[in-house]
Amino acid sequence: MGVCPVCGKALDSNGFCFNCGFRERIDPPAVSILKKYLTSPFMLVLLALTGVRLILSMIPTQGYDIVGETTYSWGGFDVDAVIMLLSLLFLYLDGKKPAGTKVNTRGFKILRTYYIVISSIIAVTMLVCAVLVFVFGNTVIDYLNYFISSYGFELTGVVTTIIGIVFLLVAVLIGLIYFFVIKTIDSVKDVAVTGAPNTKVSTFLIVVSFIFAFTDLIGIPSAEGGILEGITMALEAGVYITSAVVLIKFKKEMKELYNSLFPRL
């Protein structure tokens, strides 16, 4: 309960002054929670981690050519980091808008479109590889057996089947992960659009984020790109962990709000 800026009388719980009729602009509770996380220190951490990752991607890396001479290569912009940074910046700025102002969904739309494109490309690529393995696998195996048979080894058609199945499983797994990514983006965006609490944040996505962070962290000591790649992997792990923590806290508050508005009988 605040004070009316017009007449100085107390406002009621809905921000209305019974003395002069002034009404304070307020956000629905669900939108207030969303804005809190869009402008929280967690978002600033994500912006910082992604920004540093983008800067590192532009630093030339040292390597060696076929004769052993030192070479330097510039990897260019990390497209994933650019899109993430742009989306996060839009989300942060939109979360800063005054109470009563509708949250713009442009950041969510950019992320959603990007993940749909990426998931489609990867999944289709894996499916094409699986089809190629099943169709031309035996020919390749016969060719390889021509060279390795003298060493006492011989590949069979089972190898082709296993490789093809692996490609299919990878395609399904990638499709499943990105499905929950897009579903979670839609559920959070729905809060901004409708103002109603939405609890459909994927627990599966949260678990996968921690798994990806763990694999990045344990892979740092063996990073082939040296210290720059190790730092990049650490930054990616930080993004995964921070994102998972935000989703956990956001989902918890949404559930509490939903249960308070729609208590179970």
Side-chain angles (χ1 to χ4, degrees):
M1 184 179 294
V3 176
C4 177
V6 178
C7 65
K9 299 294 183 179
L11 300 175
D12 69 0
S13 58
N14 294 317
F16 180 74
C17 177
F18 286 97
N19 185 59
C20 68
F22 171 82
R23 181 177 293 279
E24 184 182 33
R25 300 181 69 182
I26 58 175
D27 289 320
V31 175
S32 295
I33 294 173
L34 175 60
K35 284 186 174 181
K36 181 179 74 171
Y37 284 104
L38 292 181
T39 58
S40 69
F42 291 110
M43 182 63 79
L44 296 177
V45 169
L46 288 174
L47 282 167
L49 292 173
T50 308
V52 174
R53 177 182 157 197
L54 177 59
I55 293 172
L56 290 180
S57 71
M58 294 184 286
I59 299 176
T61 56
Q62 180 178 326
Y64 301 94
D65 58 19
I66 57 175
V67 295
E69 294 184 357
T70 302
T71 61
Y72 293 91
S73 60
W74 181 62
F77 289 109
D78 184 336
V79 176
D80 182 73
V82 172
I83 293 177
M84 282 290 295
L85 187 62
L86 183 63
S87 302
L88 292 172
L89 185 60
F90 280 148
L91 292 174
Y92 178 79
L93 293 176
D94 292 332
K96 282 286 189 180
K97 289 184 177 180
T101 305
K102 188 176 181 180
V103 178
N104 197 305
T105 59
R106 54 187 174 175
F108 296 115
K109 290 178 180 177
I110 293 173
L111 283 176
R112 190 180 192 278
T113 302
Y114 175 66
Y115 285 129
I116 288 176
V117 172
I118 290 297
S119 61
S120 300
I121 292 174
I122 297 176
V124 169
T125 301
M126 292 296 104
L127 289 173
V128 170
C129 289
V131 171
L132 291 176
V133 168
F134 286 129
V135 174
F136 301 105
N138 290 332
T139 303
V140 175
I141 285 179
D142 291 340
Y143 179 77
L144 292 175
N145 282 335
Y146 176 80
F147 293 97
I148 67 174
S149 58
S150 58
Y151 296 97
F153 297 100
E154 185 174 347
L155 300 175
T156 65
V158 176
V159 176
T160 303
T161 303
I162 293 174
I163 294 175
I165 291 174
V166 169
F167 278 124
L168 288 176
L169 290 176
V170 170
V172 171
L173 179 61
I174 290 173
L176 187 64
I177 291 173
Y178 280 107
F179 168 78
F180 283 108
V181 169
I182 295 167
K183 180 182 176 182
T184 297
I185 292 174
D186 286 342
S187 67
V188 179
K189 182 169 70 98
D190 184 66
V191 175
V193 174
T194 66
N198 192 315
T199 62
K200 297 178 181 178
V201 173
S202 173
T203 302
F204 173 79
L205 178 60
I206 294 172
V207 173
V208 169
S209 296
F210 281 120
I211 292 174
F212 283 170
F214 177 74
T215 55
D216 274 337
L217 292 174
I218 63 175
I220 291 176
S222 58
E224 296 180 358
I227 187 170
L228 277 181
E229 184 177 348
I231 294 174
T232 300
M233 293 174 71
L235 292 172
E236 290 177 351
V239 170
Y240 285 129
I241 293 172
T242 305
S243 300
V245 170
V246 170
L247 290 176
I248 291 172
K249 296 174 73 67
F250 178 80
K251 183 174 184 177
K252 179 183 178 182
E253 290 200 34
M254 279 293 152
K255 280 189 173 182
E256 291 174 350
L257 175 60
Y258 184 88
N259 291 334
S260 67
L261 295 174
F262 308 101
R264 295 179 180 179
L265 300 177

